[in-house]
Amino acid sequence: MDEIVIEGGVALTGEIAISGSKNAVLPLMVAGLLSDEKLILRGTPRLADTQTLARVLRELGAEVEEFGQGPGEGLSVHTSDLSCTRAPYELVSKMRASFWVLGPLLARAQEAQVSLPGGCAIGTRPVDLYLKGLEAMGAQIEVENGYVNATAKGGLKGARIDLPFVSVGATHVLMMAATLAKGTTLITNAATEPEVVDVGKCLMAMGAKIEGLGTRNLSITGVDKLSGADHTVSRDRIEAGAFALAIAATHGDAHLTGIQEDVLGALAPAMRLAGCQLTQEGDAMRIVGPKGRAIATPVTTEPYPGFATDLQAPFMGLMCGADGVSRIRETIFENRFMHVQELVRLGADITLEGDTAIVTGVEQLQGAPVMATDLRASATLVIAGLMAKGQTRISRVYHLDRGYERIEEKLSGAGANIWRETV
Ligand code: EPZ
């Protein structure tokens, strides 16, 4: 098992290149099931999660191939025939986004048996919105023995779907399903996350008719068939946010390449309030850490363009060293504070009150052995390790490898003392 070791206290400098977005590439790969032609995805990140999803897609009959090396490298998904419509528990339980194959399977093959994904470390994460939405489109759905068994004899039909609250995954799945339904589907309260826009653009390149991308109202008029496409995946705003916070937390001055400020949503103003400078310079963003300690800044997680739940933990890392008390409120997932106990091991002063973490900044974190508990929690431990005096050793780094491409190489390229050890 690998561990990440960090000797903290070095300010980050230079350039860090931002990879393709994990949370865009996963639904984009799933979209490859909608067509019998090849979908080419460029600029894809190399992550454990894309490998896991590739296994699921292959099980269903898709050919998934990686190509190239360096910029522009990518992968293709070619599903000339959906030879199987069953996504088994053994595969779906490894990664929640695998459940999203339900939409394309039902739209293209008119049947699907997909294992329920189950809960995970950050919360219970039900799928009721997906199922109600597909039922509104005419699907017959039964949940039996841990599986969703769905059929849509004669095909899915356009419908009005009013989502009671914003769900990224439900928006992806219902939008994909609607591209091949008969008639027009209106989704209200749709997610506007950049990854949803990215998937929508790719579907349109495949011939889908979608209006309202990036707004709360999506209108999708079904077509008989989708073609292949050649699509470049958007850059990872969550990776960019985590690196921006790492630069700030080490009082560094560095550039993130390939990213525009607007995709950071509410992170950018929050970082400015905390005393950081963010400047767009062409396709790069320059991040300069605060002079002295950061200023304690409150944040509340919300759907995009609000403060991203995936950046809540990394932001807490910065706040651990801030001057004053910051209140960090998590409203998207009910159990997304698993990093708190580990940050406390590094000397942070944090107490939990319901959905809010109260972080009293300390002058100096101290290195310690810590354990990664989930993907974004592990990024926080890296940030805290970079801030801390002495050595931090992070175990269970497979969580990091799920969503951050070569994180130790990228950070050591910016001057950090960080390396991987196999123990
Ligand atoms: C996506 O998860 C992301 N995953 C998450 O990133 C991200 O945290 C989340 O969106 C919110 O931005 C991927 O893109 C692969 P949701 P998703 O449906 O789609 C509840 C990471 O670390 N809900 O928007 O699963 C749900 O429980 C991951 O990269 C229902 O109640 O999130 C949550 O409380 C973690 N019923 C809220 O909605 C449903 O049917 C929002 O979840 C669906 C969702």
Side-chain angles (χ1 to χ4, degrees), residues 289-323:
K291 306 239 176 314
R293 288 172 71 183
I295 301 160
T297 305
V299 294
T300 297
T301 62
E302 283 167 354
Y304 186 82
F307 196 95
T309 173
D310 292 345
L311 289 170
Q312 177 258 107
F315 191 77
M316 197 181 295
L318 176 66
M319 288 299 107
C320 284
D323 191 5

Short mmCIF file of all heavy atoms in Angstrom, two decimals, residues 289-323:
data_model
loop_
_atom_site.label_atom_id
_atom_site.label_comp_id
_atom_site.label_asym_id
_atom_site.label_seq_id
_atom_site.Cartn_x
_atom_site.Cartn_y
_atom_site.Cartn_z
N GLY A 289 -0.61 33.78 -2.06
CA GLY A 289 -1.12 33.53 -0.71
C GLY A 289 -1.20 34.80 0.11
O GLY A 289 -0.62 35.83 -0.26
N PRO A 290 -1.91 34.75 1.24
CA PRO A 290 -2.05 35.95 2.07
C PRO A 290 -0.72 36.37 2.69
O PRO A 290 0.15 35.53 2.93
CB PRO A 290 -3.03 35.50 3.16
CG PRO A 290 -3.03 34.02 3.12
CD PRO A 290 -2.59 33.57 1.78
N LYS A 291 -0.60 37.68 2.90
CA LYS A 291 0.58 38.17 3.64
C LYS A 291 0.29 37.86 5.10
O LYS A 291 -0.73 38.27 5.63
CB LYS A 291 0.73 39.68 3.49
CG LYS A 291 0.76 40.14 2.05
CD LYS A 291 2.04 40.88 1.73
CE LYS A 291 2.12 41.26 0.26
NZ LYS A 291 1.79 40.23 -0.71
N GLY A 292 1.11 37.10 5.73
CA GLY A 292 0.83 36.69 7.11
C GLY A 292 -0.28 35.65 7.11
O GLY A 292 -0.53 34.97 6.11
N ARG A 293 -0.97 35.54 8.25
CA ARG A 293 -2.01 34.49 8.34
C ARG A 293 -3.22 34.86 7.51
O ARG A 293 -3.54 36.04 7.35
CB ARG A 293 -2.40 34.30 9.81
CG ARG A 293 -1.29 33.61 10.59
CD ARG A 293 -1.56 33.60 12.05
NE ARG A 293 -2.65 32.69 12.40
CZ ARG A 293 -3.12 32.57 13.65
NH1 ARG A 293 -2.60 33.27 14.63
NH2 ARG A 293 -4.10 31.74 13.90
N ALA A 294 -3.91 33.84 7.00
CA ALA A 294 -5.15 34.08 6.26
C ALA A 294 -6.19 34.68 7.21
O ALA A 294 -6.07 34.56 8.43
CB ALA A 294 -5.67 32.76 5.69
N ILE A 295 -7.19 35.33 6.62
CA ILE A 295 -8.27 35.91 7.42
C ILE A 295 -9.38 34.87 7.52
O ILE A 295 -9.80 34.29 6.49
CB ILE A 295 -8.80 37.19 6.74
CG1 ILE A 295 -7.65 38.21 6.58
CG2 ILE A 295 -9.98 37.79 7.51
CD1 ILE A 295 -7.92 39.26 5.53
N ALA A 296 -9.87 34.62 8.73
CA ALA A 296 -10.94 33.63 8.91
C ALA A 296 -12.15 34.05 8.08
O ALA A 296 -12.58 35.21 8.13
CB ALA A 296 -11.31 33.53 10.39
N THR A 297 -12.69 33.11 7.29
CA THR A 297 -13.76 33.43 6.33
C THR A 297 -14.82 32.33 6.40
O THR A 297 -14.48 31.15 6.30
CB THR A 297 -13.15 33.47 4.90
OG1 THR A 297 -12.07 34.39 4.90
CG2 THR A 297 -14.17 33.87 3.85
N PRO A 298 -16.10 32.70 6.56
CA PRO A 298 -17.14 31.66 6.61
C PRO A 298 -17.55 31.22 5.20
O PRO A 298 -17.55 32.04 4.28
CB PRO A 298 -18.31 32.39 7.28
CG PRO A 298 -18.12 33.82 6.90
CD PRO A 298 -16.65 34.05 6.70
N VAL A 299 -17.88 29.95 5.04
CA VAL A 299 -18.46 29.50 3.76
C VAL A 299 -19.59 28.51 4.04
O VAL A 299 -19.61 27.83 5.07
CB VAL A 299 -17.43 28.83 2.80
CG1 VAL A 299 -16.38 29.81 2.33
CG2 VAL A 299 -16.77 27.62 3.43
N THR A 300 -20.52 28.44 3.08
CA THR A 300 -21.63 27.48 3.12
C THR A 300 -21.68 26.80 1.77
O THR A 300 -21.71 27.47 0.73
CB THR A 300 -22.97 28.21 3.38
OG1 THR A 300 -22.88 28.84 4.65
CG2 THR A 300 -24.15 27.25 3.37
N THR A 301 -21.69 25.48 1.75
CA THR A 301 -21.70 24.78 0.46
C THR A 301 -23.09 24.86 -0.18
O THR A 301 -24.11 24.80 0.51
CB THR A 301 -21.29 23.30 0.61
OG1 THR A 301 -22.25 22.65 1.46
CG2 THR A 301 -19.92 23.17 1.23
N GLU A 302 -23.09 24.99 -1.49
CA GLU A 302 -24.33 25.12 -2.27
C GLU A 302 -24.07 24.57 -3.66
O GLU A 302 -22.93 24.45 -4.08
CB GLU A 302 -24.69 26.61 -2.41
CG GLU A 302 -25.29 27.22 -1.17
CD GLU A 302 -25.35 28.74 -1.23
OE1 GLU A 302 -24.83 29.34 -2.19
OE2 GLU A 302 -25.94 29.29 -0.31
N PRO A 303 -25.16 24.29 -4.42
CA PRO A 303 -24.94 23.93 -5.81
C PRO A 303 -24.22 25.07 -6.56
O PRO A 303 -24.29 26.23 -6.13
CB PRO A 303 -26.36 23.73 -6.35
CG PRO A 303 -27.20 23.45 -5.15
CD PRO A 303 -26.57 24.23 -4.03
N TYR A 304 -23.59 24.75 -7.68
CA TYR A 304 -22.88 25.74 -8.49
C TYR A 304 -23.85 26.86 -8.91
O TYR A 304 -25.00 26.56 -9.23
CB TYR A 304 -22.32 25.05 -9.75
CG TYR A 304 -21.46 25.93 -10.59
CD1 TYR A 304 -20.13 26.13 -10.27
CD2 TYR A 304 -21.98 26.58 -11.71
CE1 TYR A 304 -19.33 26.95 -11.05
CE2 TYR A 304 -21.18 27.40 -12.48
CZ TYR A 304 -19.86 27.58 -12.14
OH TYR A 304 -19.05 28.39 -12.91
N PRO A 305 -23.45 28.12 -8.88
CA PRO A 305 -22.10 28.62 -8.68
C PRO A 305 -21.75 28.90 -7.22
O PRO A 305 -20.81 29.63 -6.95
CB PRO A 305 -22.10 29.91 -9.50
CG PRO A 305 -23.51 30.41 -9.37
CD PRO A 305 -24.38 29.19 -9.30
N GLY A 306 -22.51 28.33 -6.30
CA GLY A 306 -22.20 28.50 -4.88
C GLY A 306 -20.91 27.76 -4.52
O GLY A 306 -20.25 27.17 -5.38
N PHE A 307 -20.58 27.76 -3.25
CA PHE A 307 -19.33 27.16 -2.80
C PHE A 307 -19.42 25.63 -2.93
O PHE A 307 -20.30 25.00 -2.33
CB PHE A 307 -19.02 27.57 -1.35
CG PHE A 307 -17.61 27.30 -0.97
CD1 PHE A 307 -16.65 28.30 -1.06
CD2 PHE A 307 -17.21 26.03 -0.58
CE1 PHE A 307 -15.32 28.04 -0.75
CE2 PHE A 307 -15.89 25.77 -0.28
CZ PHE A 307 -14.95 26.77 -0.36
N ALA A 308 -18.53 25.02 -3.69
CA ALA A 308 -18.62 23.59 -4.01
C ALA A 308 -18.37 22.71 -2.79
O ALA A 308 -17.38 22.92 -2.07
CB ALA A 308 -17.61 23.23 -5.10
N THR A 309 -19.24 21.74 -2.57
CA THR A 309 -19.03 20.79 -1.47
C THR A 309 -17.68 20.07 -1.63
O THR A 309 -17.03 19.76 -0.63
CB THR A 309 -20.19 19.76 -1.38
OG1 THR A 309 -19.85 18.78 -0.41
CG2 THR A 309 -20.50 19.10 -2.69
N ASP A 310 -17.26 19.86 -2.87
CA ASP A 310 -15.98 19.16 -3.09
C ASP A 310 -14.77 20.01 -2.69
O ASP A 310 -13.64 19.52 -2.68
CB ASP A 310 -15.84 18.74 -4.56
CG ASP A 310 -16.85 17.66 -4.94
OD1 ASP A 310 -17.44 17.05 -4.03
OD2 ASP A 310 -17.04 17.43 -6.15
N LEU A 311 -15.01 21.31 -2.41
CA LEU A 311 -13.91 22.18 -1.96
C LEU A 311 -14.03 22.55 -0.48
O LEU A 311 -13.21 23.30 0.04
CB LEU A 311 -13.85 23.44 -2.83
CG LEU A 311 -13.35 23.17 -4.26
CD1 LEU A 311 -13.55 24.40 -5.14
CD2 LEU A 311 -11.89 22.77 -4.25
N GLN A 312 -15.08 22.03 0.16
CA GLN A 312 -15.29 22.36 1.58
C GLN A 312 -14.10 21.88 2.42
O GLN A 312 -13.54 22.63 3.24
CB GLN A 312 -16.61 21.72 2.03
CG GLN A 312 -16.96 21.88 3.47
CD GLN A 312 -16.66 20.59 4.22
OE1 GLN A 312 -15.70 20.51 4.99
NE2 GLN A 312 -17.46 19.57 4.01
N ALA A 313 -13.71 20.63 2.23
CA ALA A 313 -12.60 20.09 3.04
C ALA A 313 -11.29 20.83 2.74
O ALA A 313 -10.61 21.28 3.67
CB ALA A 313 -12.47 18.59 2.81
N PRO A 314 -10.93 21.00 1.45
CA PRO A 314 -9.68 21.74 1.18
C PRO A 314 -9.69 23.17 1.74
O PRO A 314 -8.67 23.65 2.23
CB PRO A 314 -9.61 21.75 -0.36
CG PRO A 314 -10.36 20.52 -0.77
CD PRO A 314 -11.47 20.38 0.22
N PHE A 315 -10.85 23.83 1.69
CA PHE A 315 -10.92 25.20 2.24
C PHE A 315 -10.68 25.17 3.75
O PHE A 315 -10.04 26.05 4.31
CB PHE A 315 -12.27 25.84 1.91
CG PHE A 315 -12.32 27.31 2.21
CD1 PHE A 315 -11.72 28.23 1.35
CD2 PHE A 315 -12.94 27.80 3.35
CE1 PHE A 315 -11.74 29.60 1.61
CE2 PHE A 315 -12.97 29.16 3.62
CZ PHE A 315 -12.37 30.07 2.75
N MET A 316 -11.18 24.12 4.40
CA MET A 316 -10.98 24.00 5.84
C MET A 316 -9.48 23.92 6.16
O MET A 316 -9.03 24.43 7.19
CB MET A 316 -11.72 22.79 6.39
CG MET A 316 -11.89 22.85 7.88
SD MET A 316 -12.71 21.42 8.57
CE MET A 316 -14.33 21.53 7.86
N GLY A 317 -8.73 23.28 5.25
CA GLY A 317 -7.27 23.21 5.44
C GLY A 317 -6.69 24.61 5.58
O GLY A 317 -5.95 24.90 6.53
N LEU A 318 -7.06 25.51 4.65
CA LEU A 318 -6.54 26.88 4.71
C LEU A 318 -6.99 27.55 6.01
O LEU A 318 -6.21 28.24 6.68
CB LEU A 318 -7.05 27.68 3.50
CG LEU A 318 -6.68 29.16 3.45
CD1 LEU A 318 -5.16 29.34 3.28
CD2 LEU A 318 -7.41 29.88 2.30
N MET A 319 -8.25 27.34 6.37
CA MET A 319 -8.80 28.00 7.56
C MET A 319 -8.16 27.52 8.87
O MET A 319 -8.17 28.23 9.87
CB MET A 319 -10.32 27.81 7.62
CG MET A 319 -11.08 28.61 6.59
SD MET A 319 -10.82 30.41 6.78
CE MET A 319 -9.75 30.79 5.40
N CYS A 320 -7.58 26.31 8.84
CA CYS A 320 -6.93 25.79 10.06
C CYS A 320 -5.80 26.71 10.53
O CYS A 320 -5.45 26.73 11.70
CB CYS A 320 -6.35 24.40 9.82
SG CYS A 320 -7.62 23.15 9.79
N GLY A 321 -5.21 27.45 9.58
CA GLY A 321 -4.10 28.34 9.96
C GLY A 321 -4.51 29.80 9.97
O GLY A 321 -3.67 30.69 10.12
N ALA A 322 -5.82 30.08 9.80
CA ALA A 322 -6.25 31.49 9.67
C ALA A 322 -6.26 32.19 11.03
O ALA A 322 -6.27 31.55 12.08
CB ALA A 322 -7.65 31.53 9.05
N ASP A 323 -6.30 33.49 10.95
CA ASP A 323 -6.36 34.31 12.16
C ASP A 323 -7.84 34.54 12.48
O ASP A 323 -8.53 35.26 11.76
CB ASP A 323 -5.66 35.65 11.86
CG ASP A 323 -5.46 36.45 13.13
OD1 ASP A 323 -5.76 35.94 14.22
OD2 ASP A 323 -5.00 37.60 13.02
#
